[in-house]
Amino acid sequence: MTELNLEANLSLTLSKVLEEGKELIPVFGPYNTGLQNLGNTCYMNSVLQCLFNFPEFQDRYAKDARKEIAKSTKFAPDCMNVQMYKLADGMSCGKYSSKLSAEKTKEDEKDEYYQDGIRPQMFKTLMGKGHPEF
């Protein structure tokens, strides 16, 4: 009986996580931009996605991102603010989150939805300086 209960609970939990039976609809546009996984950056990407959902964070970094990047006198690859502004601009503009037409997608894909997202390589490099494990 214990095994049956365990199996039922596991099955119930997995079905909630997987959202079985529901049609998931892709979303596109500003603040719906994904971040590419660079091998070990899934947690970093998740945190950034969460932070950029806060209006206060959006106001701080996305509102005038291009102006802030242009007026910065620091070396961009070593400046945390510049890297945050760059991510904010990419995530907020919607340019990297769009529905591609069927002819632009890979032939072996089942549907026409594909989002390139942003490759946060410079941000990861800056965050990982001095931390070889990252």
Side-chain angles (χ1 to χ4, degrees):
M1 191 60 152
T2 303
E3 287 179 13
L4 288 174
N5 281 337
L6 182 60
E7 188 175 320
N9 288 337
L10 183 60
S11 164
L12 177 66
T13 304
L14 283 176
S15 68
K16 285 183 179 179
V17 171
L18 297 175
E19 299 185 43
E20 290 178 7
K22 292 185 180 179
E23 182 180 345
L24 301 178
I25 300 168
V27 293
F28 303 99
Y31 296 108
N32 290 317
T33 302
L35 297 170
Q36 294 178 10
N37 188 350
L38 305 175
N40 63 345
T41 60
C42 53
Y43 292 112
M44 178 189 80
N45 292 350
S46 296
V47 169
L48 288 169
Q49 290 282 4
C50 289
L51 289 173
F52 278 107
N53 273 307
F54 288 108
E56 298 84 3
F57 206 79
Q58 293 173 7
D59 287 344
R60 168 70 171 94
Y61 288 105
K63 192 174 183 179
D64 295 318
R66 292 180 186 190
K67 289 179 187 176
E68 294 295 332
I69 293 168
K71 76 178 187 180
S72 177
T73 58
K74 296 183 179 179
F75 184 57
D78 292 334
C79 180
M80 179 60 79
N81 277 333
V82 170
Q83 294 305 312
M84 289 300 289
Y85 286 125
K86 285 176 60 180
L87 278 174
D89 182 54
M91 293 175 73
S92 66
C93 72
K95 179 180 176 181
Y96 305 101
S97 172
S98 60
K99 179 180 175 182
L100 299 179
S101 62
E103 61 269 6
K104 289 185 180 179
T105 59
K106 297 176 186 174
E107 291 178 15
D108 57 340
E109 289 188 60
K110 290 183 179 177
D111 56 34
E112 61 181 313
Y113 303 107
Y114 185 79
Q115 179 179 341
D116 287 335
I118 297 173
R119 184 175 170 84
Q121 184 65 54
M122 289 180 74
F123 186 85
K124 177 199 179 271
T125 301
L126 179 60
M127 293 299 294
K129 274 194 175 175
H131 300 280
E133 69 278 5
F134 191 58

